């Protein structure tokens, strides 16, 4: 596919998705919403992908929603929010939630500005690596709005309730170091893209089926009952035990560390 708002590159199973609208600080217009939705859907179907790195072009992740572009058309605004059922995800929510649904790790690299919709997108990633001087804000309240791109789904899992309320009610801009102290980001680094690549190398040494099972079980069970968690753990473990990559993992540990894993099983 020819991307107009993204740059998509891959090497050895690692796909890098770059928000590529640097003249607008990678602000989110309709085309970018649509392409983010499309690329995440395409990646979900691929069993050869081991991890995704999500970043912004030219030193900024994203300045958030391109209000001028989206608000000029009621049709565009409605297309972002329309859904068949209240519990379903609309287009605006899918560009964050979809990263949670992928059966492999997603790492967001945060440099420069990461505001509003951009912040909600990175909250959909499994890991967030930021520079110390990056600027992060859940900024919707400044426009008289509630954060509505599914970012709160992840925010409630990574920070305390009072911290989440303060960040969303004030629209405060914080730097990467402060974000790390609040658990909003995973790691602070002067070169977060390199840190993401190093993590990918570590993850590539693990069974792709095991990584998929861990992500799926964690996301589905994090806020559920003990019984639900125990049942899901057992179900996932049985699937892993019956798979070829479980046998390969054992051989890699015992005597054949260079033995390659097979592609991830399609049911994850």
């Amino acid at each position: 596919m020819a991307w107009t708002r993204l740059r998509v590159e891959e090497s050895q199973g690692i796909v890098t998705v770059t928000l590529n609208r640097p003249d607008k600080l990678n602000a989110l217009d309709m085309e970018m919403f649509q392409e983010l939705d499309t690329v995440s859907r395409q990646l979900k179907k691929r069993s050869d992908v081991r991890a995704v790195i999500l970043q912004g072009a030219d030193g900024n992740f994203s300045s958030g929603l391109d209000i001028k572009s989206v608000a000029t058309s009621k049709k565009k605004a409605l297309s972002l929010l329309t859904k068949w059922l209240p519990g379903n995800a609309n287009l605006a929510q899918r560009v964050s939630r979809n990263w949670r649904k992928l059966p492999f790790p997603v790492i967001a690299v945060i440099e420069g500005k990461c505001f509003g919709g951009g912040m909600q997108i990175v909250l959909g990633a499994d890991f967030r690596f930021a520079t110390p001087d990056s600027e992060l804000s859940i900024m919707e309240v400044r426009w008289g709005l509630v954060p509505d791109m599914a970012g709160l789904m992840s925010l409630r899992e990574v920070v305390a309730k009072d911290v989440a309320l303060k960040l969303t009610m004030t629209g405060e801009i914080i730097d990467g170091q402060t974000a790390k102290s609040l658990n909003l980001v995973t790691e602070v680094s002067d070169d977060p893209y390199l840190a993401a690549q190093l993590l990918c190398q570590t993850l590539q040494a693990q069974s792709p089926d095991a990584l998929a099972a861990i992500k799926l079980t964690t996301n589905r069970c994090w806020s559920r009952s003990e019984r639900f968690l125990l049942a899901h753990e057992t179900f996932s473990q049985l699937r892993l035990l019956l798979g070829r990559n479980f046998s390969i993992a054992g051989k890699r540990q015992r005597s054949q560390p260079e033995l390659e894993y097979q592609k991830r099983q399609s049911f994850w």
Side-chain angles (χ1 to χ4, degrees):
M1 177 173 174
W3 308 102
T4 63
R5 294 293 188 265
L6 301 178
R7 189 169 69 242
V8 181
E9 304 159 300
E10 57 183 280
S11 175
Q12 299 180 321
I14 307 302
V15 177
T16 300
V17 177
T18 304
L19 281 63
N20 193 27
R21 203 179 174 217
D23 57 315
K24 299 291 185 181
L25 301 181
N26 304 318
L28 304 166
D29 62 0
M30 283 303 301
E31 289 78 10
M32 189 175 286
F33 274 106
Q34 291 162 353
E35 291 190 8
L36 283 167
D37 185 40
T38 298
V39 72
S40 57
R41 289 171 180 265
Q42 290 180 354
L43 290 171
K44 188 176 182 181
K45 298 175 183 178
R46 293 180 51 183
S47 60
D48 60 322
V49 175
R50 297 300 309 274
V52 166
I53 297 175
L54 185 60
Q55 65 175 358
D58 287 9
N60 289 287
F61 186 82
S62 173
S63 58
L65 182 67
D66 186 338
I67 296 291
K68 184 176 180 180
S69 171
V70 176
T72 53
S73 167
K74 289 185 178 181
K75 183 178 180 181
K76 287 182 179 180
L78 285 173
S79 68
L80 276 176
L81 301 177
T82 300
K83 57 176 78 177
W84 288 107
L85 294 171
N88 291 355
N90 56 33
L91 176 58
Q93 293 165 331
R94 291 198 301 271
V95 299
S96 173
R97 186 214 60 171
N98 282 7
W99 305 112
R100 294 170 58 95
K101 297 291 185 180
L102 297 183
F104 41 78
V106 177
I107 308 164
V109 171
I110 304 169
E111 297 178 291
K113 299 184 187 306
C114 185
F115 295 160
M119 187 67 225
Q120 294 197 62
I121 289 172
V122 301
L123 280 167
D126 303 302
F127 308 96
R128 285 162 294 282
F129 291 175
T131 58
D133 60 351
S134 56
E135 299 178 90
L136 300 87
S137 176
I138 305 171
M139 201 171 273
E140 284 76 8
V141 71
R142 297 190 182 197
W143 297 92
L145 298 171
V146 64
D148 66 339
M149 288 174 55
L152 293 179
M153 185 185 304
S154 301
L155 186 66
R156 66 182 179 180
E157 296 171 354
V158 298
V159 303
K161 181 182 176 182
D162 58 339
V163 173
L165 286 170
K166 184 173 183 286
L167 292 172
T168 54
M169 286 183 171
T170 65
E172 178 184 4
I173 298 174
I174 60 175
D175 62 24
Q177 291 285 12
T178 302
K180 178 65 175 70
S181 71
L182 298 174
N183 293 327
L184 194 62
V185 301
T186 313
E187 186 175 312
V188 172
S189 171
D190 290 329
D191 191 342
Y193 183 73
L194 176 60
Q197 289 180 309
L198 292 174
L199 176 58
C200 286
Q201 291 177 17
T202 301
L203 295 172
Q204 283 179 305
Q206 316 304 328
S207 161
D209 288 315
L211 295 182
I214 290 169
K215 179 171 178 175
L216 180 68
T217 302
T218 301
N219 284 342
R220 285 189 177 177
C221 301
W222 195 253
S223 301
R224 301 294 296 269
S225 69
E226 178 181 301
R227 291 182 62 83
F228 185 90
L229 171 60
L230 295 176
H232 207 286
E233 277 185 355
T234 301
F235 181 64
S236 294
Q237 197 75 305
L238 289 172
R239 279 182 154 184
L240 291 172
L241 290 168
L242 295 172
R244 176 62 179 157
N245 279 328
F246 168 68
S247 174
I248 292 173
K251 292 177 181 178
R252 285 171 61 94
Q253 288 295 316
R254 289 190 296 271
S255 60
Q256 298 176 260
E258 302 303 321
L259 188 62
E260 293 188 3
Y261 287 111
Q262 292 186 352
K263 292 181 180 179
R264 186 185 65 255
Q265 295 178 95
S266 60
F267 51 69
W268 295 112

